[in-house]
Amino acid sequence: MREQLAKIREEAMAKLSAVSGSAELEELRVRYLGKKGELTAVLKQMGSLSAAERPEMGKLANEVRAAIEEKLAEARTEVEAKALERKLRAEAVDVTVPGRAPRLGHRHPMYVALDEMKDIFIGMGFTVLDGPEIELGELNFDRLNAEPGHPSRDWSDTFYFDRDERVMLRSQTSPMQVRAMDTMPLPIRMVAPGRVYRKDEVDATHSPMFHQIEGMVIDKGVTMADLKGTLNTVVQQLYGEGTKTRFRPHHFPFTEPSCEMDVQCHKCGGAGCPTCKGEGWIELLGAGMIHPHVLEMAGIDPEVWSGWAFGFGLERLAMRRFRIDDLRLIFENDVRFLEQF
Ligand code: DAH
C-alpha cells in the first residue's frame, strides 16, 4: 500500500508539472482525487490493514492528497496565467502599423473651371447667386421677353411640369437675372451658376442637362463698353494675357443689342485648325444690353438705369480649359478620366 501511494504521488506530480490546458487539468483532478479516483481506490483497501498499520497509512494517504491538491492549485494558476497571456497576445493591437490610407476624391474638372470663374468675378465685386432648377415659366420666359408662342418655348425644346407652361425645368440661368432684379437693391453685380435642362439627345456636344453661368450688371450709365471691358478682362485671366476676343451681332429676346463673343482659338492662334473648325475663333458666350422692357417689367426705370448680361455653358469652358474633346466624359464620372485632373 505504501508503494501504491508513493507511485500515485510520483505519477501525479509528474503529470501535473507537464499539464498544458484546463481540460487536461480537470481530467487529472478526477483521476487522482475523484470519487472513483486512484487515491480513493487505495483508501478503500484500508479495511484490510491491521489496527496498528491503519493510522500510519491514513496519515500517509492524507499527505499524498494534500500534496496533490497543492500541486493541482499551482498548476491551475499557471494554466490560467498562460491562457491570459495567450489571449492578450492574440488581441494585441500594434499601434505602429501604418494605417490604410483612405482613397481621396478630388474636384470635378468642371467645378475647377467654375471656381476659377467665381474667383475672377468675386474679385471684381460680383455676388454669387444660387437659384432653383425647377423654375416658373414666367421667369424663364415671360419676364425675359419670350412671350407665349416664342420658338424657345416649344414643347420639344424644354421640359414642362404642366400643360399651362407654368412650371418647368429652367432652360437657361437667365431667369436668375429676373430673380436678382426682384430681390437685390440697385446697383446689382451678380453671377449665377447652375444646372439647366433642354430636350436634347446625348452626343459629343449635347446633353439634356448641362451647366451655365449667368452674369449681370445694372447701374447708372452702364454701356456696351463696360460689357466688353469686363468680359475681355475675364478672358485674359482665364486664357492668358493677350488672348483676343471678337463680338458678333446676334439676337436674344431679353437683350438689345445682343451679341456673341468669340475667343481666338488657343490651339492655332487664329490660323484655323480642326479644333476651331477652320474658323480661328471659338464661340464662348451670348451677351447684350438688358432690354429696356425687361427692366420695366422688374419695376426698374430704363431712363435711369441700364445694364448688361451674359450667359454661357460651363461644360464648354471646362472642355476648352482642360482640352476634353467629348462632352459625355464630363458626366460619365469614370474615375480613370476624373483622376487626370
Ligand atoms: N440664356 C442664353 C442661352 O441660354 C444665353 C444668354 C444670352 C444669356 C445673352 C444672357 C444674355 O444673359 O445676355 O442661350
Side-chain angles (χ1 to χ4, degrees):
M1 202 164 177
R2 196 186 292 276
E3 290 85 62
Q4 273 182 310
L5 285 171
K7 198 175 156 238
I8 290 173
R9 179 180 183 149
E10 202 178 307
E11 230 185 74
M13 291 301 153
K15 287 238 155 81
L16 284 168
S17 296
V19 77
S20 65
S22 54
E24 194 191 341
L25 197 67
E26 176 61 9
E27 212 173 273
L28 290 174
R29 187 190 66 78
V30 172
R31 175 163 165 192
Y32 292 109
L33 304 179
K35 272 192 192 129
K36 291 178 185 160
E38 291 186 18
L39 199 58
T40 316
V42 172
L43 289 173
K44 273 183 186 150
Q45 298 165 28
M46 292 281 268
S48 63
L49 294 177
S50 67
E53 281 175 316
R54 225 176 275 159
E56 202 190 326
M57 279 307 139
K59 192 174 162 235
L60 190 59
N62 280 336
E63 273 171 24
V64 171
R65 170 180 285 275
I68 294 177
E69 273 172 355
E70 194 184 316
K71 186 74 186 173
L72 203 63
E74 220 172 83
R76 180 167 294 132
T77 312
E78 206 165 301
V79 163
E80 279 168 4
K82 266 193 196 140
L84 179 65
E85 199 181 311
R86 225 178 299 129
K87 189 164 180 252
L88 287 176
R89 198 170 305 142
E91 291 174 2
V93 175
D94 183 352
V95 294
T96 66
V97 172
R100 224 172 286 155
R103 232 178 110 172
L104 278 189
H106 44 85
R107 291 186 309 158
H108 190 285
M110 200 186 63
Y111 283 89
V112 173
L114 173 58
D115 282 349
E116 288 176 1
M117 285 288 293
K118 282 194 204 167
D119 279 349
I120 294 171
F121 279 105
I122 288 169
M124 295 194 292
F126 283 63
T127 302
V128 180
L129 298 183
D130 193 18
E133 290 166 30
I134 297 174
E135 186 55 283
L136 299 173
E138 185 196 341
L139 274 63
N140 193 84
F141 289 132
D142 302 50
R143 296 271 306 268
L144 289 168
N145 262 353
E147 314 277 81
H150 191 276
S152 63
R153 301 181 71 135
D154 197 295
W155 282 73
S156 61
D157 290 336
T158 38
F159 294 98
Y160 291 101
F161 286 91
D162 58 347
R163 299 229 147 254
D164 306 331
E165 303 184 6
R166 286 184 51 233
V167 183
M168 56 181 299
L169 290 175
R170 66 178 176 189
S171 63
Q172 50 186 354
T173 45
S174 301
M176 287 307 292
Q177 291 186 32
V178 181
R179 286 180 176 274
M181 288 181 216
D182 286 351
T183 56
M184 293 174 80
L186 295 166
I188 296 172
R189 256 183 249 169
M190 71 85 173
V191 286
R195 291 197 180 99
V196 301
Y197 300 83
R198 301 223 182 135
K199 270 194 186 165
D200 280 327
E201 296 288 338
V202 175
D203 66 21
T205 51
H206 293 87
S207 159
M209 187 282 292
F210 58 102
H211 296 72
Q212 286 188 333
I213 183 164
E214 196 78 13
M216 182 180 77
V217 168
I218 301 178
D219 206 339
K220 285 175 181 160
V222 172
T223 70
M224 194 89 180
D226 300 307
L227 163 69
K228 291 176 90 170
T230 309
L231 291 179
N232 273 333
T233 306
V234 173
V235 166
Q236 307 291 317
Q237 293 200 34
L238 270 182
Y239 295 105
E241 232 157 280
T243 308
K244 288 207 175 79
T245 58
R246 75 174 182 191
F247 291 78
R248 284 178 290 103
H250 202 77
H251 173 264
F252 298 103
F254 44 91
T255 42
E256 183 56 39
S258 303
C259 62
E260 278 191 333
M261 187 181 83
D262 300 337
V263 197
Q264 198 166 54
C265 180
H266 55 82
K267 263 231 171 107
C268 63
C273 69
T275 301
C276 56
K277 297 187 187 106
E279 291 273 317
W281 297 90
I282 297 170
E283 182 195 316
L284 186 66
L285 54 81
M289 298 305 294
I290 301 172
H291 198 292
H293 188 229
V294 171
L295 291 172
E296 263 167 12
M297 281 189 282
I300 297 170
D301 185 353
E303 296 297 330
V304 180
W305 303 91
S306 57
W308 53 260
F310 69 85
F312 66 95
L314 279 175
E315 283 81 1
R316 274 225 223 149
L317 177 82
M319 284 167 79
R320 213 162 304 138
R321 169 81 174 68
F322 295 110
R323 323 233 151 153
I324 301 163
D325 53 16
D326 193 319
L327 177 69
R328 284 166 290 202
L329 290 166
I330 296 213
F331 300 120
E332 275 166 0
N333 287 331
D334 185 327
V335 287
R336 288 168 303 180
F337 165 74
L338 294 174
E339 272 168 1
Q340 296 171 39
F341 305 97

